[in-house]
Amino acid sequence: IASGRGASHATFGGGDFGLDRPDARSDVRGDVDIMSDTMGVDFGPYLQRVIFAVKMHWYNLIPESARPPIMKKGKLAIEFAILKDGRVAGLQLAATSGDDALDRAARGGITDSNPFPPLPPEFRGQYLQLRFKFYYNPDRGEIE
């Protein structure tokens, strides 16, 4: 994860952090963009913890329609801020998958993780603005 000004990016699809996938034949993954100024703080270790929590909760909520044999496809984006104390604020669906069940599961991955750990003490900002992208069974090359 790059630090400084501008958007940074991390993927949470490859490694499974020791978690069981919802089904070995399904493909669910995502990534996260930092939308606010990091003020030079390296958020890599912090984001690993955030991504782990969201992924763990999201995997538990993935609807049957996204699992074999149906394998419904969908992609969506959710934006939110993490306040200094780790609480989630301003959660909003930035792009819908068009399927309420898929959108709800992704949103639940975030809300069920609330609160996150407090932001790193060296970060002087009031919040960290993030955009999480969730992909259900994406086509090859579809993940941005």
Side-chain angles (χ1 to χ4, degrees), residues 21-70:
R21 300 275 301 242
D23 185 297
R25 297 165 292 167
S26 55
D27 182 12
V28 293
R29 51 185 139 159
D31 59 25
V32 61
D33 295 319
I34 297 176
M35 308 301 291
S36 53
D37 185 352
T38 61
M39 301 178 186
V41 173
D42 176 9
F43 276 95
Y46 180 81
L47 278 182
Q48 285 181 334
R49 294 172 67 191
V50 169
I51 290 167
F52 176 81
V54 171
K55 189 175 184 181
M56 183 178 65
H57 290 106
W58 176 41
Y59 279 10
N60 290 332
L61 297 171
I62 290 171
E64 290 298 317
S65 63
R67 301 172 195 243
I70 300 169

Side-chain angles (χ1 to χ4, degrees), residues 24 37 61 103 119 124 135 138 142:
D37 185 352
L61 297 171
D103 291 354
L119 294 177
R124 298 293 175 217
Y135 299 88
E142 184 176 3

Side-chain angles (χ1 to χ4, degrees), residues 80-122:
F80 63 96
I82 300 177
L83 304 177
K84 285 184 96 47
D85 64 2
R87 288 179 298 128
V88 170
L91 186 78
Q92 63 181 7
L93 190 62
T96 181
S97 67
D99 183 300
D100 287 341
L102 299 182
D103 291 354
R104 243 189 338 268
R107 184 182 181 98
I110 296 167
T111 58
D112 289 359
S113 302
N114 186 19
F116 293 105
L119 294 177
E122 64 272 19

